[in-house]
Amino acid sequence: MRKKIVAGNWKMNLDYNEGLGVFTEIINMVKDEVTGAQEAVICSPFIHINSLVQLAKGYNKVSVGAQNAHQAESGAYTGEISARMIKSIGAAYVILGHSERRQYFGETNELLAKKTDTVLKHDLRPIFCIGETLQEREANEHFDVIKSQLVEGVFHLDAEQFGKLVLAYEPVWAIGTGVTASSAQAQEIHEFIRKEIAAKYSQEVADSTTILYGGSCNPKNAAELFACPDIDGGLIGGASLKSRDFVDIIKAFN
Ligand code: PEP
């Protein structure tokens, strides 16, 4: 059985105190209301991580992650944060390849392959994002785009390393737009991704890979999306900033 995960991506939102407040509410609600074996993850700005890890201590249903890491081990990279630093404060996950990083910070599949290696080296689990733009979907290029993101970004890993990844299918046209992929559209791509993993590694590896859906997921549409056979949870942007909404999405697995 593969792990079910609902991960929140706070992006560049919530100051320090606001973040601690929302996280405390999330932990309390998860303790009281979540009955299944699903894991919740909050990927916060770097400044929150240490405190969130302390708040989540001793409670294995909620983990903390970062939203980026530099590909180098250390060095003269002013303003950057390394995977080793992230590991040293107790985070468990790092989002890599989010479409906003690809679009605004020019992150390529080649760079993301290096970041993936560094993050794995420090025993952190990448949540590796892939997905097509609207233009690519309209040109019927979405399967090719997703395949290249897999091949160039993560298929250099051996099966053991690959087993530590979480994948997130995030159609760029659905992120922050209020337009969600239909469950049929999402399932079609998730099934395609799993088949590609089986062809590259094995059916066993494919069956144990957690693949999240991201893009305007909310408490109303989560249950239908998560009921699809190849959708193992969500990567949640806007709705993860509101504790009630985020926990209601997590509870779609109860
Ligand atoms: C995201 O940024 O990963 C995301 C899915 O955002 P939203 O849920 O706001 O569409």
Side-chain angles (χ1 to χ4, degrees), residues 2-6 190 194 206-207 209-213 225-226 228-234 253:
R2 50 186 175 258
K3 186 146 191 96
K4 309 286 186 197
I5 297 175
V6 179
H190 282 234
R194 208 174 297 286
D207 287 342
T209 303
T210 296
I211 310 176
L212 311 180
Y213 166 79
L225 286 159
F226 296 176
C228 296
D230 288 297
I231 299 182
D232 308 310
F253 276 124

Side-chain angles (χ1 to χ4, degrees), residues 2 130-132 137 142-143 146 167-174 179-195 211-217 221-235:
R2 50 186 175 258
I130 54 181
E132 80 286 358
R137 179 164 276 264
H142 41 302
F143 292 105
I146 285 158
L167 289 174
Y169 168 57
E170 297 210 304
V172 180
W173 45 271
V179 179
T180 318
S182 68
S183 51
Q185 282 173 318
Q187 167 57 27
E188 182 185 37
I189 300 287
H190 282 234
E191 191 181 345
F192 170 75
I193 293 168
R194 208 174 297 286
K195 281 195 178 135
I211 310 176
L212 311 180
Y213 166 79
S216 298
C217 194
N221 58 31
E224 185 184 334
L225 286 159
F226 296 176
C228 296
D230 288 297
I231 299 182
D232 308 310
L235 181 54

Side-chain angles (χ1 to χ4, degrees), residues 22 27 66 70 83 162 166-167 171 226 248:
V22 172
I27 295 241
H70 197 273
F162 189 87
V166 173
L167 289 174
F226 296 176
D248 282 347

Side-chain angles (χ1 to χ4, degrees), residues 9 11 98 100 170 174-177 214-217 235-238:
N9 173 14
K11 312 193 184 188
H98 191 280
E100 288 152 14
E170 297 210 304
I175 296 179
T177 57
S216 298
C217 194
L235 181 54
I236 318 298

Side-chain angles (χ1 to χ4, degrees), residues 110-131:
E110 194 189 351
L111 173 73
L112 292 166
K114 291 186 189 143
K115 289 193 174 204
T116 302
D117 291 342
T118 309
V119 161
L120 285 170
K121 186 173 163 205
H122 288 281
D123 203 22
L124 291 156
R125 294 190 73 185
I127 300 176
F128 193 90
C129 303
I130 54 181

